[in-house]
Amino acid sequence: MQQYKNKGHVITFVKLSANMKADFAANVSHELRSPITQIRLKGEALQLGLTTDEEDLRRHYDAIVHESERLSRLVDNVLDFAAIERGAKRYQMRQEDLRLLVATTGEAMRAPLAARGLALDLDIPEDLPQVEVDREAVKQVLINLLSNAAKYGAEGKWVGLRMRLALDSIDISVSDRGIGISKSDQARIFEEFYRSSDTNVRRKKGTGIGLSIVRYIINAHGGSLSVDSEPGQGATFTVTLPLGPNAPASE
Ligand code: ADP
């Protein structure tokens, strides 16, 4: 009986993960479609000379750039997720000026956030010690958290990106004033493929891998990741990166 029950659990698990993978493939295709369509439509309009006035042309060029950036972010996430799954992901750790990295990534996201009606509030202290990190990986963490804030926090029209120096770490938090996350979802959102069943979430496109990549990267850096949220009140994700043994002591 016990054995049978165990087998049942195994089968259920395998089925669940096969369903989740099928959903994932469908979600990726779905998410690819929208930027590709936008780029094609805008490109065709330009090609046919349908847009002539200065402002309209600018809108078309901007849309093509933003939609291709969105496409790149999605493809980067899928490729990274596959590499992580294969155990092939390697990070190049170097002493970096994290302050500069966070500021430039935040600034690069300002236009795509503004395009969705969100103001970005950067709160970054002047003096911070260098930290040993993989630049591209930390950039991806920030982009994933900021993209989620844009997606699920759109109605709040505000995104906060804040850095703080703690005793033996640097904390980076991304906040929004959007739909928020229930306690039961908070326990699961870092799992791969997991998406809340909330209709407010299902209305938005997504693949359910963004936060699992964030979690993996932060673990690989010896850091930690937490979420603080009340449904309807927005969410704050905080990444804690340890200061290396060579980091200068804080004043
Ligand atoms: P995706 O956004 O593609 O669904 P993620 O792994 O990035 O996948 O996020 C997993 C889930 O966590 C989302 O589906 C959503 O339920 C929840 N979530 C993530 N960020 C936020 C946020 N800022 N506000 C509300 N819910 C969020």
Side-chain angles (χ1 to χ4, degrees), residues 20 28 37 67 93 101 128 145 166 206 215 218 246:
M20 280 175 139
V28 170
T37 307
E67 293 300 322
M93 309 293 263
L101 182 59
L128 288 175
L145 294 177
R215 185 193 54 180
I218 298 306
N246 300 326

Side-chain angles (χ1 to χ4, degrees), residues 86-249:
R86 287 200 311 276
K89 190 70 205 170
R90 300 283 174 271
Y91 295 108
Q92 301 213 320
M93 309 293 263
R94 293 212 178 87
Q95 288 290 331
E96 297 281 356
D97 180 351
L98 203 56
R99 189 184 172 278
L100 191 64
L101 182 59
V102 173
T104 46
T105 310
E107 287 305 339
M109 288 294 285
R110 196 180 282 283
L113 288 168
R116 295 178 135 183
L118 291 119
L120 176 67
D121 182 5
L122 280 181
D123 176 1
I124 301 177
E126 281 300 322
D127 281 314
L128 288 175
Q130 292 213 330
V131 191
E132 199 174 88
V133 294
D134 178 303
R135 271 188 82 77
E136 289 308 311
V138 171
K139 214 164 116 180
Q140 197 178 8
V141 163
L142 297 170
I143 288 174
N144 283 356
L145 294 177
L146 290 168
S147 305
N148 278 350
K151 199 156 58 164
Y152 305 111
E155 70 209 37
K157 304 199 180 309
W158 176 90
V159 177
L161 174 57
R162 172 188 150 124
M163 278 180 99
R164 285 291 175 267
L165 180 63
L167 216 53
D168 53 5
S169 65
I170 289 185
D171 301 342
I172 308 169
S173 57
V174 175
S175 307
D176 65 67
R177 295 175 179 159
I179 60 172
I181 309 165
S182 70
K183 287 280 173 277
S184 59
D185 277 336
Q186 285 178 35
R188 301 206 55 194
I189 51 174
F190 299 105
E191 291 171 18
E192 48 242 35
F193 307 129
Y194 185 80
R195 306 199 72 219
S196 168
S197 52
D198 188 311
T199 47
N200 287 320
V201 169
R202 293 299 164 128
R203 260 201 289 272
K204 313 277 175 186
K205 291 194 212 70
T207 55
I209 59 171
L211 286 181
S212 66
I213 294 173
V214 169
R215 185 193 54 180
Y216 185 87
I217 292 172
I218 298 306
N219 281 345
H221 282 73
S224 61
L225 176 65
S226 64
V227 59
D228 184 19
S229 176
E230 289 293 332
Q233 307 282 310
T236 294
F237 286 84
T238 302
V239 163
T240 298
L241 289 168
L243 294 172
N246 300 326

Side-chain angles (χ1 to χ4, degrees), residues 42-53:
K42 299 287 188 294
E44 280 171 2
L46 291 172
Q47 189 184 40
L48 296 170
L50 298 177
T51 36
T52 44
D53 80 279

Side-chain angles (χ1 to χ4, degrees), residues 70-91:
R70 199 168 130 198
L71 212 48
S72 299
R73 290 198 289 271
L74 176 65
V75 171
D76 284 348
N77 267 344
V78 173
L79 289 178
D80 260 57
F81 182 72
I84 289 170
E85 288 275 282
R86 287 200 311 276
K89 190 70 205 170
R90 300 283 174 271
Y91 295 108

